[in-house]
């Protein structure tokens, strides 16, 4: 029986950082997993966590990272053998360290796994886990490498 992997796709969008209208715009990397924007998965997970913890907070506002940032975070996390996490989206100010969501990136024999998602200042696990076919993932990374920041 063939293993069913999640799908990952990159869509490049050009947008301004919300808090700095009129500034130079950058390409942003919209990560599409199983046909759905990663921001949707994050919002759903945050709603569930806040409900479970009886918090009145609403899901955070995030934007996609620029290509060079996302590539750097994903490569560093992969090369750390699970020790480091990769930021996958950032807050609307555009600074990845401000309020980001990150995930652990694990290389297996035939796949890449993203798991243990959490907000950088809130350690509650989002319960998200995606496993990508290594070939499709490498194509995603190659596309990232070839996408300019502007």
């Amino acid at each position: 029986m063939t293993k069913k992997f999640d799908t990952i796709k990159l869509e490049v969008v050009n947008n301004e950082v919300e808090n700095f209208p009129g500034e130079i715009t950058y390409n942003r990397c919209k990560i599409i997993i199983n046909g759905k924007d990663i921001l949707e998965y994050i919002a759903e997970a945050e709603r569930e966590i806040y409900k479970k913890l009886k918090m009145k907070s609403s899901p955070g506002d995030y934007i996609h990272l620029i290509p060079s940032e996302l590539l750097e975070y994903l490569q560093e996390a992969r090369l750390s053998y699970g020790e480091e996490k990769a930021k996958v989206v950032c807050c609307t100010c555009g600074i990845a360290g401000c309020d980001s969501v990150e995930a652990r990136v694990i290389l297996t024999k035939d796949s890449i796994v993203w798991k243990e998602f959490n907000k950088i200042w809130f350690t509650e696990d989002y319960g998200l886990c995606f496993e990508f076919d290594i070939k499709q993932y490498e194509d995603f990374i190659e596309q990232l490498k070839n996408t300019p920041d502007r």
Side-chain angles (χ1 to χ4, degrees), residues 50-65:
Y50 297 151
K51 188 169 140 186
K52 180 179 91 175
L53 297 175
K54 297 182 176 154
M55 295 171 63
K56 294 188 190 253
S57 299
S58 57
D61 268 341
Y62 305 104
I63 60 173
H64 302 284
L65 294 167

Side-chain angles (χ1 to χ4, degrees), residues 21-136:
E23 292 283 317
I24 296 172
T25 61
Y26 289 90
N27 288 326
R28 299 267 169 196
C29 297
K30 185 187 282 191
I31 302 168
I32 306 296
I33 299 174
N34 302 325
K36 187 169 154 180
D37 189 332
I38 195 169
L39 294 177
E40 293 177 53
Y41 286 107
I42 290 168
E44 289 167 6
E46 287 186 355
R47 275 192 288 277
E48 287 302 311
I49 288 169
Y50 297 151
K51 188 169 140 186
K52 180 179 91 175
L53 297 175
K54 297 182 176 154
M55 295 171 63
K56 294 188 190 253
S57 299
S58 57
D61 268 341
Y62 305 104
I63 60 173
H64 302 284
L65 294 167
I66 63 174
S68 63
E69 285 180 326
L70 181 58
L71 179 63
E72 179 182 342
Y73 295 136
L74 291 175
Q75 287 180 321
E76 285 178 4
R78 179 176 169 177
L79 292 173
S80 77
Y81 298 98
E83 293 297 316
E84 300 292 324
K85 287 186 168 184
K87 292 171 183 67
V88 292
V89 297
C90 67
C91 89
T92 57
C93 78
I95 300 170
C98 177
D99 187 15
S100 301
V101 173
E102 58 187 4
R104 193 159 315 280
V105 178
I106 307 288
L107 173 65
T108 73
K109 186 179 88 171
D110 61 351
S111 68
I112 292 284
V113 178
W114 288 8
K115 64 181 187 175
E116 299 173 21
F117 285 75
N118 64 279
K119 195 179 271 223
I120 60 173
W121 54 266
F122 187 64
T123 58
E124 188 78 23
D125 187 334
Y126 284 22
L128 299 171
C129 183
F130 304 104
E131 186 171 7
F132 310 109
D133 172 74
I134 193 78
K135 171 69 174 108
Q136 185 184 42

